[in-house]
């Protein structure tokens, strides 16, 4: 009986390692160089700007570190970065945008998608809350989208959507 209890306890301690292994595989799939284009709203109800972006993503078994730059109208360039750490099914981290102030990220993964609640460092669009989705599409695409709530209407509004791809095999 004691041997069965020890075997059961040992098998239970292995469960989190399996969950962490699946998270490690997902995080490592986000690694590398990415580039693409998309749009960014200056504010809800404001002008939508087309941007081109590059992103460098470094990963470990439990962390992804992203550093990127977006350019728009050949006039402005904005840098951004994020560090997200997995602890089991929970993801936490920080995002630093053009303000230079760290915003808090908390969420989880569902399939090939990280769903992260953002708490901005300052008020953005009337409050400090938004949602950031980072979605891996196939082997070579990455979608990043920020959704905010329009306080006047209560509607969800996509405030940024960037479609990134790995460099083609010919350019590697």
């Amino acid at each position: 009986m004691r041997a069965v209890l020890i075997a059961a306890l040992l098998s239970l301690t292995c469960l989190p390692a399996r969950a962490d292994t699946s998270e490690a595989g997902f995080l490592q799939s986000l690694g590398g160089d990415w580039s693409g284009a998309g749009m960014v709203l200056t504010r809800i109800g404001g002008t939508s700007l087309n941007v081109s972006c590059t992103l460098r993503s470094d990963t470990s078994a439990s962390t992804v570190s992203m550093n990127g730059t977006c350019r728009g109208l050949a006039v402005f360039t904005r840098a951004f970065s994020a560090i997200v750490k997995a602890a089991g099914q929970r993801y936490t981290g920080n995002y630093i945008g053009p303000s230079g102030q760290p915003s808090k990220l908390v969420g989880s993964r569902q399939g090939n998608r990280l769903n992260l609640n953002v708490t901005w460092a300052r008020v953005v669009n009337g409050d400090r809350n938004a949602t950031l989705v980072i979605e891996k599409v196939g082997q070579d695409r990455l979608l990043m989208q920020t959704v905010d709530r329009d306080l006047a209407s209560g509607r969800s509004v996509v405030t940024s959507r960037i479609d990134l791809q790995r460099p083609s095999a010919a350019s590697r």
Side-chain angles (χ1 to χ4, degrees), residues 46-111:
T47 305
S48 173
L49 299 174
N50 292 325
V51 294
S52 62
C53 303
T54 58
L55 175 73
R56 172 73 189 160
S57 183
D58 296 308
T59 64
S60 72
S62 63
T63 305
V64 60
S65 174
M66 299 177 158
N67 292 291
T69 303
C70 288
R71 292 171 182 74
L73 299 175
V75 175
F76 73 89
T77 300
R78 299 289 188 262
F80 64 92
S81 65
I83 297 175
V84 180
K85 183 174 183 174
Q89 298 296 311
R90 182 177 163 86
Y91 283 76
T92 59
N94 288 309
Y95 167 81
I96 300 176
S99 74
Q101 299 175 336
S103 299
K104 191 172 164 183
L105 302 171
V106 176
S108 62
R109 179 170 69 98
Q110 294 174 326

Side-chain angles (χ1 to χ4, degrees), residues 2-12:
R2 186 173 164 170
V4 172
L5 180 60
I6 291 172
L9 288 174
L10 287 175
S11 69
L12 287 176

Side-chain angles (χ1 to χ4, degrees), residues 125-171:
N125 294 315
D127 66 7
R128 295 183 59 204
N129 302 309
T131 303
L132 170 63
V133 174
I134 301 171
E135 183 174 6
K136 183 80 185 306
V137 180
Q139 292 297 324
D140 296 322
R141 277 187 65 211
L142 188 65
L143 295 174
M144 298 177 73
Q145 180 171 286
T146 308
V147 178
D148 207 340
R149 182 158 310 280
D150 178 0
L151 296 179
S153 70
R155 292 180 312 122
S156 292
V157 177
V158 175
T159 54
S160 70
R161 180 176 171 85
I162 312 297
D163 187 354
L164 301 163
Q165 295 185 338
R166 293 186 195 276
S168 68
S171 66

Side-chain angles (χ1 to χ4, degrees), residues 103-125:
S103 299
K104 191 172 164 183
L105 302 171
V106 176
S108 62
R109 179 170 69 98
Q110 294 174 326
N112 287 330
R113 230 177 130 134
L114 284 179
N115 297 305
L116 301 166
N117 295 317
V118 181
T119 303
W120 299 120
R122 60 180 176 80
V123 173
V124 175
N125 294 315

Side-chain angles (χ1 to χ4, degrees), residues 25-36:
F26 173 73
L27 288 172
Q28 290 172 351
S29 78
L30 301 176
D33 293 319
W34 303 86
S35 63

